[in-house]
Amino acid sequence: MTPALLLSFLIGYFVLLIAVAYFTSRKHSDNSAFFIANRNSKWYLVAFGMIGTALSGVTFISVPGAVGKSEFGYFQFIMGNAVGFIIIATVLLPLYYRLNIISIYTYLERRFGFWSYKTGAVIFLVSRTIGSAFRLYLVAIVLQRFIFDAWNIPFWVTIVICLVLIWAYTHKGGLKTIIITDTLQTVFLILAVILSIYFIADSLNLDVVGTIEAVKNSSYAKMFFWEDFLGSKNHFLKHFLGGVFVTIAMTGLDQDLMQKNLSMGTIKEAQKNMFTFTGVFVVLNILFLSVGALLYMYAEKNGIDVASMPTPDYLYPEIALNHLNIIPGVIFMLGLTAATFATTDSALTALTTSFCIDFLHFDKKADQNDPKLVTQRHFVHIGFSVLMVIVILIFKLINDESVVNAIFKAAGYTYGPLLGLFTFGILTKRAVKDKIVPYICILSPILCLLIDFNSMSWFSYALGFELIILNGLITFLMLWVTGKTATTQTKF
């Protein structure tokens, strides 16, 4: 596929999204529509659209690429994710609906106080900005290599183009628009992964039954790892428990995905959304792992030197765009673009919502749909877009590993204190010393970083995805030690 053809496809794709945005926001583009879609979203649309938001371009590229090194071991993490989603649906969603909140961090203010509330909101802003920047960075390097390098366009310009396009279709309708565009993009994502399997299998002369057998009998199909609990990061318990708590923190305690759940009319609809989403999420990840096995089988058959690639993240785009015919190439770009921008548009909307509610206190204004507040929201939206450009450029300078690992490693440090705060609030009746909570939430990741660097030499133990559990536990213990028995207990 030529760079010009890929670019024309990208332009056409965004013209479609902008058209959808126009029709969804021309009647209602106030703050209520932007923040919570006027609380009248359909659960089945949200459930379907959340798939694209949760999977992202990281799943689309890095999960298949990582099969060569960790085989199907990532599925251990997915099993933990599924348990985490069930906990969110049965524990956190009922709490949020009882409180009738827009920003989930309002809970921390009611439970602990002002500084705890602000700390939780800041942790989200930092965590989501970093996580979304990682995800967009992954796709940007693919776009740069296969499209924009042909015209010697600098990498920073590629990033700016991506974010300007995202801003163009989200700045008016916000969540109301995103629920529709994410549904559309999830259709493209699912279509892309299924057709990718078909075309790669066809190039290997495999039918449906033959494809299943080839993947099952390949050297990449090992799914469960029980060896060397202390020294291996790939052990089942580390992946599974890490998956549970990463999901609770990165989804249940994250304004982004919870904002969609809170846009529905009732808790029952929100729970139906989460349960449906969980089932589809697990199946799709199995398909992505199968894509990875087929890609490595294709590379072996056709003499493609995977080891010479800067990162396994390049394997999927390399084969789809340079070795298969034009139709698989278009399908790959369709899925990659859909997965990535479904995640980034949602993140920018959630970041804007959190800042407007948690720091500018739109929810406490007499009329949160005042035109002046709408204008203020636009400036906040632009500000986070600029910030994401800066973070992506910094990440490009320092990244030296597969992005999927970088995201979850960063999550262990940034979301850990949030996990500790919410767990402490829900499981105990103790009060905290509100003013020292920010210091606890800074100290905990620092202690985790120190332990992470020295875990092998101190304990002969390799920390993996369960780092977030350690971080949350340290936060919990420090809150307990410095806290006190509450004289009164607010019921939640």
Side-chain angles (χ1 to χ4, degrees), residues 422-435:
F422 272 83
T423 303
F424 189 85
I426 293 170
L427 297 184
T428 79
K429 295 182 178 181
R430 290 174 68 84
V432 300
K433 293 182 180 178
D434 188 41
K435 289 185 177 180

Side-chain angles (χ1 to χ4, degrees), residues 291-356:
V291 169
L294 291 170
L295 287 170
Y296 278 98
M297 291 161 60
Y298 182 95
E300 291 170 9
K301 180 180 178 180
N302 292 277
I304 299 172
D305 186 8
V306 180
S308 65
M309 297 179 182
T311 167
D313 295 337
Y314 281 117
L315 177 63
Y316 196 176
E318 176 66 28
I319 291 177
L321 300 177
N322 288 339
H323 294 271
L324 300 176
N325 62 43
I326 189 170
I327 296 177
V330 169
I331 290 169
F332 168 80
M333 287 302 299
L334 180 69
L336 177 63
T337 307
T340 300
F341 294 107
T343 301
T344 309
D345 59 20
S346 179
L348 283 174
T349 300
L351 289 166
T352 301
T353 299
S354 177
F355 193 84
C356 289

Side-chain angles (χ1 to χ4, degrees), residues 434-478:
D434 188 41
K435 289 185 177 180
I436 70 169
V437 168
Y439 301 103
I440 289 175
C441 292
I442 292 172
L443 181 58
S444 180
I446 293 174
L447 292 175
C448 280
L449 182 64
L450 181 64
I451 295 171
D452 190 20
F453 273 126
N454 296 282
S455 62
M456 283 301 294
S457 59
W458 288 354
F459 314 111
S460 298
Y461 182 89
L463 272 169
F465 290 142
E466 76 278 16
L467 175 67
I468 193 170
I469 303 175
L470 176 64
N471 200 345
L473 180 61
I474 291 174
T475 304
F476 186 99
L477 291 175
M478 287 194 290

Side-chain angles (χ1 to χ4, degrees), residues 20 65 136 276 295 395 410 460:
V20 172
L136 186 55
T276 304
L295 287 170
F395 184 59
S460 298

